[in-house]
């Protein structure tokens, strides 16, 4: 049974194949308009989402399939005490593919043995978000032309930001990558993520200004308020980095600014007009790469 729980569940060659398929779909979407005809995807979202849920839904509909959504858990038998195992056995009896977001790390993985159909993790707590990673890789590949040989700076909440964890792990398989981790002391990247990369390939700093001129890809993240137990700590840290036009004066002309979104304050809206800001392009790449993933998992050959 296929599943995608963390980015390296796909080998590097499988990842490259999905990215290439996404680029083919972008060029000729009509060719793929029926590859999931008759297929039904269940979206189980136990945590809020705009992009991931809608882009999965848009992707399946654009492939000719249909979608069932659970986005308000108060309407499900979960509230009567039903176990996740029984929910998964039930939903997988109706569907061809399950997409799950859950606030607890590990829940999508634990669901695999109970499912009759493939499961895709749409974000599990602070752990992983593999389809955001595919989105990010496609964005880099399509805009920069290649993924290897780049200096990628991650800025913001590197402790709780699951998109950062997944992307670092995925980029660790590409050649000649350099990583810069920019965060306050309290939100440093976890050791278990740094273990994926060579200790000579990264630096950690609190200062965005001192590294700005070295960066090829600036990946900005929101401070994840929902993961804090102490609201005062969140309020103290949330605006540590705010990217604005003066800060970008030292940046390379061909640097790209990425963000998985949602954005709160960490990128000034004036930056949206900068040609280096690609975070709304990223949103659209996310739909195409999810089309490629769904087609690969449950689709028929294109006509
Ligand atoms: N990037 C992302 O996961 O956005 P949502 O939380 O809106 O799905």
């Amino acid at each position: 049974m296929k599943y995608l729980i963390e980015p390296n569940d796909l080998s590097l060659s499988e990842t490259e194949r999905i990215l290439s398929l996404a680029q083919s779909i972008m060029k000729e979407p009509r060719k793929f308009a029926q590859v999931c005809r008759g297929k039904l995807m269940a979206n189980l979202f136990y945590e809020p989402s705009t992009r991931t849920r809608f882009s999965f839904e848009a992707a399946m509909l654009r492939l000719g399939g249909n979608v069932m959504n659970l986005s308000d858990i108060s309407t499900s038998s979960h509230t009567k005490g039903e176990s996740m195992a029984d929910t998964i056995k039930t939903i997988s009896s109706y569907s061809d593919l399950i997409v799950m977001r859950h606030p607890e790390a590990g829940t999508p993985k634990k669901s695999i043995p109970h499912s009759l159909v493939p499961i895709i993790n749409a974000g599990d707590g602070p752990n992983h978000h593999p389809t955001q990673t595919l989105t990010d890789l496609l964005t880099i590949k399509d805009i920069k032309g290649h993924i290897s040989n780049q200096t990628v700076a991650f800025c913001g909440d590197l402790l709780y930001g699951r998109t950062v964890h997944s992307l670092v792990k995925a980029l660790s398989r590409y050649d000649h990558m350099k990583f810069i981790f920019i965060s306050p002391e309290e939100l440093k990247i976890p050791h278990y993520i740094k273990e994926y990369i060579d200790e000579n390939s990264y630096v950690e700093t609190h200062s965005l200004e001192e590294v700005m001129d070295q960066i090829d890809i600036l990946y900005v993240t929101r401070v994840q308020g929902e993961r804090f137990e102490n609201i005062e700590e969140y309020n103290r840290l949330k605006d540590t980095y705010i990217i604005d036009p003066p800060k970008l004066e030292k940046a390379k002309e061909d640097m790209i600014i990425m963000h998985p979104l949602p954005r709160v304050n960490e990128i000034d809206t004036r930056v949206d007009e900068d040609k280096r800001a690609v975070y709304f392009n990223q949103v659209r790449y996310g739909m195409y790469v999810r089309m490629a993933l769904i087609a690969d998992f449950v689709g028929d050959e294109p006509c």
Side-chain angles (χ1 to χ4, degrees):
M1 180 86 67
K2 285 190 172 185
Y3 59 85
L4 178 61
I5 302 300
E6 56 106 331
N8 294 9
D9 286 337
L10 296 172
S11 68
L12 187 55
S13 64
E14 286 169 331
T15 302
E16 287 292 323
R17 185 167 48 75
I18 300 283
L19 301 182
S20 296
L21 179 57
Q23 288 181 309
S24 302
I25 296 172
M26 282 159 54
K27 281 196 197 102
E28 285 186 280
R30 283 180 185 214
K31 206 171 142 188
F32 298 85
Q34 298 298 326
V35 300
C36 284
R37 194 170 171 192
K39 298 284 164 60
L40 189 51
M41 182 177 79
N43 262 343
L44 304 186
F45 278 67
Y46 290 82
E47 204 182 45
S49 169
T50 298
R51 277 144 294 274
T52 312
R53 187 168 77 77
F54 277 97
S55 64
F56 263 112
E57 185 162 355
M60 189 48 143
L61 295 175
R62 283 174 183 266
L63 293 169
N66 283 298
V67 184
M68 299 184 290
N69 276 299
L70 170 66
S71 50
D72 177 3
I73 57 167
S74 69
T75 63
S76 87
S77 287
H78 175 78
T79 54
K80 301 175 200 162
E82 185 172 56
S83 69
M84 184 58 80
D86 288 0
T87 300
I88 294 295
K89 278 179 199 157
T90 303
I91 301 289
S92 70
S93 300
Y94 307 144
S95 58
D96 300 292
L97 175 66
I98 291 178
V99 175
M100 181 194 282
R101 171 170 287 191
H102 201 279
E104 280 172 30
T107 300
K109 187 171 187 173
K110 282 186 212 149
S111 300
I112 292 171
H114 308 293
S115 181
L116 302 168
V117 301
I119 293 189
I120 296 175
N121 177 12
D124 60 328
N127 195 33
H128 278 295
H129 193 347
T131 64
Q132 181 66 46
T133 298
L134 290 171
T135 300
D136 300 337
L137 293 176
L138 179 62
T139 305
I140 296 168
K141 183 175 173 165
D142 208 59
I143 295 177
K144 288 280 201 176
H146 61 99
I147 297 174
S148 303
N149 286 302
Q150 314 222 47
T151 298
V152 187
F154 293 89
C155 178
D157 181 351
L158 310 189
L159 175 64
Y160 297 120
R162 59 193 173 198
T163 65
V164 172
H165 303 167
S166 290
L167 186 55
V168 171
K169 193 164 182 183
L171 290 175
S172 71
R173 303 191 295 186
Y174 289 84
D175 293 331
H176 308 300
M177 302 303 298
K178 290 202 175 114
F179 299 92
I180 304 176
F181 298 121
I182 307 155
S183 71
E185 190 62 26
E186 297 85 344
L187 299 176
K188 282 173 76 174
I189 192 147
H191 281 286
Y192 81 93
I193 298 296
K194 284 189 287 189
E195 280 171 6
Y196 297 123
I197 55 179
D198 188 283
E199 61 183 350
N200 298 317
S201 71
Y202 72 87
V203 292
E204 292 179 274
T205 177
H206 304 316
S207 168
L208 173 61
E209 282 80 0
E210 76 180 26
V211 295
M212 185 63 102
D213 61 350
Q214 303 167 32
I215 301 170
D216 298 311
I217 297 159
L218 175 59
Y219 195 96
V220 184
T221 61
R222 170 180 68 91
V223 175
Q224 310 268 301
E226 65 274 34
R227 314 265 177 239
F228 281 69
E229 284 174 8
N230 181 337
I231 185 74
E232 283 159 18
E233 178 86 335
Y234 167 67
N235 284 331
R236 187 171 65 77
L237 295 171
K238 67 183 168 65
D239 293 331
T240 307
Y241 304 101
I242 298 176
I243 314 295
D244 59 16
K247 291 204 182 94
L248 291 171
E249 278 170 16
K250 274 177 67 188
K252 292 181 184 177
E253 277 299 303
D254 64 348
M255 184 185 82
I256 59 171
I257 307 162
M258 298 175 65
H259 191 310
L261 305 180
R263 155 178 64 184
V264 185
N265 273 336
E266 57 281 357
I267 301 182
D268 187 314
T269 52
R270 288 174 296 163
V271 174
D272 299 359
E273 307 306 320
D274 191 307
K275 68 178 174 44
R276 294 169 289 192
V278 302
Y279 28 89
F280 287 108
N281 309 58
Q282 235 172 307
V283 170
R284 196 156 176 82
Y285 285 121
M287 180 184 71
Y288 286 118
V289 92
R290 290 179 176 109
M291 287 175 78
L293 185 65
I294 295 169
D296 184 75
F297 270 34
V298 298
D300 300 320
E301 287 296 312
C303 305

